[in-house]
Amino acid sequence: MNILCEELSITYPIIQGGMGNVSNAPLTGAISQAGALGTLGAGTMAPDKLESLILDVKKITDKPFCINIPITVQPYLKEVVQLVEKHSIPVVSLSAGNPARLAKHFKDQGVKVICVVASVRQAQKAEQAGADVIVGEGYEAAGINSNFETTTLTLIPQLVKAVSVPVAAAGGIGDGGGLAAMLSLGAHGVQMGTRFIATEEALVHKDYKRLIVEATDTDTVVVGRTVGRIRRLLNTEYAKKLAEKEKSGVTAEEFGELTNEDRHISGAIQGNLADGHLNSGQIAGIVDDLPPVSELIRRMMGEAEEAAKGLSSKLGL
């Protein structure tokens, strides 16, 4: 059995990225029900809202799902940890901060721990802290990104050599061919965000989905380099506004205000494209439909199998 699937008690080696404001209950529940690992992104969410989402997911599926906790971003960290324990959440993913203390705490509670990293050193430290799974995220990915700007293609084989726990690849994966490619690099599975936004169950604004489907290979942009807060966005008018602000000398505080949670909700959920941003990975360029989650996952597994057969043929095996 795939070691990642065995570790997380799932059928298919696919993890939903912990997308704050976007990882709603219908999407998370559908992903887990389909045999992958659905994830609720705690983001900056208040405990009562997160608990409501947890209960809603449990109405949809009795299969394992995950809570993503961005450590330095979540203002109610203690309460979120308590919710994981109260509702017997089997898996957590830790990002945006040092996972050491929380990883040990969750391990002591019997919770499986995923740590999201962007470098070999981060992965090694996460493994030392007790991570059961490492997610290596390349800068092709959507939203907040690492200043290292290391690509998934180069990051994953280095992580696989550096740690002994299963590695999942994130950033630039949106179909079965991408899954097969990451498996060939030594990963045991993948984590996806952008591709899951473009599904029937994602409760984002219809224009967000439309723009992902219409996107080409050059329709995302990186902003925030000048203030050390890198984000990959769809290249909307609002993203162009952010780029112009950087050219004119925006401060880190001003940039933070322009890309805060309210701005994200305004763009992604409410569809105010002139007033808020839309996170998107580079993989948006291959997305051309809005399938149900279950269909997408089945299709990906079939595509991965065909890709593996094709590789064997190309190698003359």
Side-chain angles (χ1 to χ4, degrees):
M1 184 178 182
N2 180 297
I3 189 172
L4 179 72
C5 294
E6 186 175 8
E7 196 70 50
L8 300 177
S9 300
I10 56 179
T11 304
Y12 304 118
I14 301 171
I15 301 169
Q16 175 193 359
M19 301 173 284
N21 306 317
V22 172
S23 298
N24 54 78
L27 179 61
T28 298
I31 291 168
S32 284
Q33 185 63 24
L37 184 70
T39 301
L40 286 175
T44 60
M45 198 178 296
D48 58 341
K49 173 64 174 175
L50 180 60
E51 184 166 33
S52 177
L53 291 178
I54 290 170
L55 295 173
D56 286 345
V57 172
K58 288 190 170 189
K59 292 175 185 176
I60 297 169
T61 185
D62 60 359
K63 295 184 178 180
F65 65 98
C66 173
I67 303 291
N68 171 254
I69 305 174
I71 299 165
T72 59
V73 173
Q74 170 52 241
Y76 308 100
L77 191 58
K78 180 180 178 181
E79 292 84 353
V80 170
V81 171
Q82 290 171 343
L83 285 175
V84 171
E85 298 165 1
K86 176 181 177 181
H87 293 284
S88 301
I89 305 300
V91 185
V92 297
S93 68
L94 304 176
S95 58
N98 186 340
R101 182 178 62 84
L102 281 181
K104 183 180 186 308
H105 175 83
F106 285 126
K107 293 279 286 185
D108 290 344
Q109 303 297 317
V111 178
K112 295 294 183 180
V113 176
I114 299 171
C115 288
V116 182
V117 307
S119 72
V120 168
R121 177 169 172 75
Q122 289 175 2
Q124 291 172 328
K125 290 176 71 69
E127 182 179 28
Q128 292 166 7
D132 298 289
V133 173
I134 298 294
V135 169
E137 185 173 79
Y139 101 120
E140 299 95 323
I144 297 173
N145 235 310
S146 167
N147 292 341
F148 299 137
E149 298 195 20
T150 308
T151 65
T152 307
L153 181 68
T154 56
L155 178 62
I156 294 307
Q158 294 180 73
L159 295 185
V160 170
K161 290 174 64 176
V163 299
S164 59
V165 297
V167 172
I173 300 111
D175 62 9
L179 169 59
M182 294 302 109
L183 296 179
S184 73
L185 292 177
H188 289 89
V190 298
Q191 176 174 289
M192 301 193 307
T194 301
R195 189 60 187 93
F196 279 131
I197 295 172
T199 58
E200 287 186 3
E201 290 87 350
L203 299 182
V204 299
H205 197 273
K206 63 181 181 180
D207 286 340
Y208 191 1
K209 296 185 183 184
R210 175 181 60 80
L211 288 171
I212 289 176
V213 170
E214 293 176 356
T216 69
D217 58 329
T218 59
D219 281 334
T220 68
V221 62
V222 172
V223 298
R225 286 191 178 104
T226 62
V227 293
R229 298 186 181 184
I230 291 178
R231 285 179 175 267
R232 185 176 293 281
L233 310 175
L234 278 172
N235 195 18
T236 61
E237 288 304 311
Y238 192 76
K240 291 181 174 69
K241 175 182 173 181
L242 292 173
E244 287 300 317
K245 289 279 189 181
E246 282 196 81
K247 290 179 182 178
S248 64
V250 69
T251 67
E253 291 72 21
E254 290 169 337
F255 185 83
E257 287 294 319
L258 291 168
T259 55
N260 63 20
E261 293 294 275
D262 290 340
R263 296 287 189 174
H264 185 217
I265 291 169
S266 182
I269 309 302
Q270 298 170 354
N272 299 321
L273 302 186
D275 189 54
H277 57 282
L278 304 176
N279 295 327
S280 177
Q282 287 181 308
I283 202 63
I286 73 164
V287 176
D288 58 10
D289 64 352
L290 301 170
V293 161
S294 59
E295 178 185 321
L296 173 63
I297 291 173
R298 284 196 303 270
R299 188 168 74 197
M300 281 188 62
M301 296 307 298
E303 290 169 345
E305 184 177 357
E306 287 302 310
K309 291 177 182 177
L311 179 61
S312 180
S313 175
K314 289 174 183 177
L315 290 172
L317 300 176

